[in-house]
C-alpha cells in the first residue's frame, strides 16, 4: 500500500510551508489506488522513480479529485505551500497552474540549484529548499509581500468558517481595509481560484478529514463541515470527488486513470 508519513517542517520554512509529507509505494500486489483530492493550495513535489530518475515539480491548485493506478515511486516528498506563498515563490499568477503539474524549472529561472540530482534523498533536498525558498521571498518588494499577506489572511478567514455563520467576502474585505473587488482579484491571482471555489473545496476537504464518515450521521457531518444540509453536501461532494460520500468511503471509486 502507499504510505503517507507526515514530517516536521523545518523552522526556516514554517512561514512558507504548512506541511511536509513523505509518500512511499508498497509492493505492487499491495499497492492501493492513488487518489488526488481537491486542494486549493499549491505544492512543491520531489519525486524519484525506480529508474533512479528524479524531479522537482509544482502541483498547482486541484479543483476536482482524480484517481490513478498506483505507481512505483521509491520516494515522493510533498511540501504544501501556504496561501500567498506560491505566488511570491514562483512569480506567476496561480491561475496559470490550476489543475496542472509542471517542472519547477519552467517557472523559476534561478531553480538550477534546486533541481533534483541523482542519488538525492529527503535531507539533501530539504537543505537546499531551506536556503533557497526564504531567499526568494526576501527578494520580493514590500508591496508583493503585503499582497501575499492579504491572500493568506483571506484564506484563513474562509477556512475558519466550518460550522459557523458564513462571513461574506465583502465583510472580510472591509476588515482587511481593501475593496471587495481588489480582494477577489488578489485571491484569484495568489491562490488560483476565486473565494467561492476555495470555500467549496474546503468544505469537501472537511468531510474527507473526518475519517469516521462511514459511520457518522450524514446530516450532522454536513452541518459541522459548513454545508446547508445533507443534500447540499452530497451534491458538492459528488461534483468535486466524482462519487457520492458513501461510495467514496466504501472504496467505490471512478475508473482509475494512468498517473
Amino acid at each position: 500500500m502507499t504510505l503517507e508519513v507526515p514530517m516536521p517542517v523545518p523552522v526556516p520554512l514554517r512561514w512558507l510551508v504548512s506541511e511536509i509529507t513523505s509518500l512511499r509505494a508498497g509492493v505492487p500486489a499491495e499497492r492501493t489506488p492513488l487518489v488526488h483530492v481537491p486542494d486549493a493550495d499549491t505544492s512543491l513535489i520531489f519525486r524519484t522513480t525506480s529508474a533512479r530518475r528524479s524531479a522537482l515539480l509544482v502541483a498547482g491548485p486541484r479543483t476536482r479529485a482524480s484517481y490513478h493506478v498506483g505507481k512505483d515511486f521509491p520516494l515522493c516528498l510533498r511540501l504544501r505551500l501556504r496561501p500567498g506563498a506560491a505566488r511570491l515563490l514562483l512569480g506567476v499568477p496561480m491561475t496559470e497552474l490550476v489543475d496542472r503539474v509542471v517542472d519547477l524549472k519552467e517557472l523559476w529561472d534561478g531553480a538550477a540549484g534546486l533541481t533534483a540530482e541523482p542519488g538525492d534523498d529527503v535531507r539533501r533536498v530539504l537543505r537546499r529548499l531551506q536556503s533557497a525558498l526564504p531567499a526568494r521571498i526576501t527578494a520580493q518588494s514590500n508591496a508583493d509581500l503585503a499582497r501575499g499577506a492579504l491572500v493568506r489572511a483571506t484564506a484563513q478567514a474562509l477556512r475558519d468558517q466550518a460550522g459557523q455563520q458564513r462571513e461574506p467576502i465583502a465583510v472580510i474585505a472591509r476588515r482587511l481595509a481593501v475593496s471587495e473587488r481588489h480582494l477577489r482579484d488578489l485571491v484569484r491571482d495568489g491562490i488560483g481560484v476565486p473565494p467561492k471555489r476555495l470555500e467549496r473545496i474546503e468544505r469537501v476537504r472537511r468531510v474527507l478529514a473526518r475519517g469516521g464518515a462511514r459511520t457518522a450521521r450524514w446530516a450532522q457531518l454536513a452541518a459541522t463541515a459548513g454545508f446547508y444540509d445533507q443534500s447540499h453536501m452530497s451534491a458538492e461532494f459528488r461534483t468535486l470527488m466524482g462519487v457520492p460520500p458513501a461510495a467514496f468511503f466504501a472504496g467505490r471509486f471512478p475508473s482509475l486513470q494512468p498517473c
Side-chain angles (χ1 to χ4, degrees):
M1 64 182 297
T2 300
L3 303 177
E4 185 170 351
V5 182
M7 299 178 58
V9 180
V11 173
L13 294 179
R14 287 179 184 172
W15 61 301
L16 299 173
V17 176
S18 61
E19 65 180 27
I20 299 178
T21 307
S22 176
L23 295 92
R24 291 180 181 273
V27 298
E30 299 176 346
R31 201 167 298 150
T32 56
L34 185 60
V35 181
H36 294 306
V37 303
D39 191 348
D41 290 337
T42 294
S43 295
L44 293 179
I45 298 174
F46 169 72
R47 185 185 66 190
T48 65
T49 69
S50 56
R52 297 185 180 276
R53 296 179 181 177
S54 56
L56 268 170
L57 308 172
V58 177
R62 189 165 44 249
T63 59
R64 284 180 170 80
S66 59
Y67 301 82
H68 306 280
V69 179
K71 291 188 67 176
D72 181 12
F73 48 96
L75 175 61
C76 182
L77 187 69
R78 180 175 68 90
L79 289 81
R80 194 168 183 231
L81 299 175
R82 295 189 183 277
R87 178 67 170 93
L88 294 170
L89 288 169
L90 303 175
V92 298
M94 291 300 98
T95 50
E96 297 183 9
L97 299 179
V98 175
D99 294 320
R100 295 182 62 203
V101 177
V102 301
D103 195 296
L104 180 63
K105 292 181 291 185
E106 296 182 24
L107 305 173
W108 187 346
D109 291 337
L114 285 176
T115 51
E117 301 172 359
D120 263 340
D121 60 18
V122 169
R123 293 180 181 178
R124 290 174 61 183
V125 173
L126 284 179
R127 279 199 298 268
R128 293 204 298 272
L129 292 174
Q130 285 179 57
S131 174
L133 298 189
R136 179 85 167 179
I137 294 293
T138 56
Q140 303 301 315
S141 68
N142 289 334
D144 286 336
L145 293 175
R147 284 190 283 268
L150 284 172
V151 170
R152 180 179 298 189
T154 304
Q156 187 62 55
L158 294 173
R159 286 171 170 167
D160 283 345
Q161 294 179 17
Q164 304 175 14
Q165 184 175 1
R166 181 179 178 275
E167 186 178 26
I169 190 68
V171 174
I172 298 174
R174 285 197 297 271
R175 177 156 50 80
L176 296 176
V178 295
S179 72
E180 179 182 353
R181 180 175 179 179
H182 181 56
L183 192 59
R184 289 182 183 277
D185 289 343
L186 284 178
V187 170
R188 284 182 60 88
D189 181 78
I191 294 179
V193 296
K196 196 164 189 66
R197 177 64 66 88
L198 172 61
E199 288 183 285
R200 293 178 65 193
I201 291 173
E202 289 304 310
R203 284 195 296 263
V204 167
R205 288 180 65 86
R206 291 182 197 122
V207 176
L208 292 168
R210 289 159 172 81
R214 281 168 285 185
T215 58
R217 295 181 178 178
W218 294 113
Q220 181 180 356
L221 178 59
T224 57
F227 293 95
Y228 297 121
D229 53 29
Q230 181 178 339
S231 62
H232 179 213
M233 179 186 72
S234 296
E236 286 283 90
F237 194 97
R238 185 180 188 119
T239 298
L240 271 65
M241 296 299 298
V243 292
F248 178 85
F249 287 110
R252 298 195 300 272
F253 302 148
S255 298
L256 302 182
Q257 304 296 322
C259 189

